[in-house]
Amino acid sequence: MFKEIIPQAKPNIEQVNHHSPEKKEKPEFLYHGTNVPDIEEFEPKKRLMPGNIKGNIPPRIYAGDNPAFASTFSFPWFTNEGFELSVDDVGKVIFNVPTKLKYRLNQPVYLYKMPSDKFELTPGENTGHSYHTENKIKPVEIKTFESVQAAIENYGGVVNFYEENNEKQ
């Protein structure tokens, strides 16, 4: 579910590696954002993502340690469309969205809380907030939000909309 997070040039936003993955303590619970309601048990699935184009990564379940961060993955998006996800040095999630794609955030978000004991930090993911497991997981709680923006903002994150200009590459 998580896509490789690659910063794109946008004013006043910088990708920050919030924590050193080697020294990070895993929280008791992690979060998985999706647009699918009523999941009683998650099963690992293969995902086509940057870094897994050949499909050599085994089926997994992905989750994040920050619920605002996990909420951004409740719908499909790619950095080459102009979406940008960053986490600042105090853990605040900043999600930049092209105004022309704002409508894609207007869908329900189901945020599942999961025990972290079977998850491990995902190597190579540049924010240090993504975890994965190859085991089935039963969530312990689910929260529903009317939109992606509502979910992100509920947990102190920010959604910024911007107009793409002709100079952007």
Side-chain angles (χ1 to χ4, degrees):
M1 173 174 234
F2 289 116
K3 283 114 185 123
E4 185 176 335
I5 301 168
I6 302 170
Q8 301 233 340
K10 251 188 256 10
N12 303 320
I13 299 297
E14 185 176 318
Q15 182 75 24
V16 176
N17 187 358
H18 180 142
H19 295 285
S20 170
E22 298 81 29
K23 298 177 182 177
K24 187 169 185 172
E25 186 175 322
K26 183 169 56 173
E28 183 179 0
F29 295 100
L30 297 172
Y31 303 89
H32 179 90
T34 182
N35 57 6
V36 179
D38 305 321
I39 300 173
E40 292 183 19
E41 183 176 59
F42 284 83
E43 294 190 28
K45 295 185 179 181
K46 279 226 178 240
R47 300 283 183 214
L48 266 185
M49 310 181 300
N52 191 30
I53 300 302
K54 295 181 182 178
N56 56 354
I57 295 176
R60 293 178 170 174
I61 300 165
Y62 290 91
D65 60 358
N66 179 316
F69 179 82
S71 296
T72 67
F73 297 103
S74 61
F75 74 105
W77 60 270
F78 299 94
T79 55
N80 65 3
E81 296 176 296
F83 289 92
E84 180 185 84
L85 174 61
S86 62
V87 182
D88 72 13
D89 60 352
V90 294
K92 184 177 183 177
V93 171
I94 302 163
F95 195 41
N96 294 310
V97 178
T99 302
K100 69 181 182 182
L101 298 175
K102 179 179 182 176
Y103 71 94
R104 289 178 43 193
L105 278 64
N106 293 329
Q107 66 168 24
V109 171
Y110 304 94
L111 190 64
Y112 293 86
K113 184 177 180 181
M114 306 174 160
S116 68
D117 57 327
K118 294 183 181 176
F119 284 85
E120 61 185 70
L121 192 61
T122 301
E125 190 280 317
N126 66 355
T127 68
H129 292 279
S130 292
Y131 292 78
H132 70 275
T133 184
E134 295 175 22
N135 299 291
K136 291 182 179 182
I137 298 290
K138 289 187 178 189
V140 296
E141 182 179 284
I142 180 173
K143 289 191 177 182
T144 304
F145 298 90
E146 65 183 23
S147 70
V148 177
Q149 184 172 357
I152 293 168
E153 291 175 349
N154 183 73
Y155 293 102
V158 175
V159 178
N160 297 315
F161 299 101
Y162 72 95
E163 297 293 331
E164 291 183 282
N165 61 39
N166 294 334
E167 296 174 7
K168 186 171 178 184
Q169 298 180 12

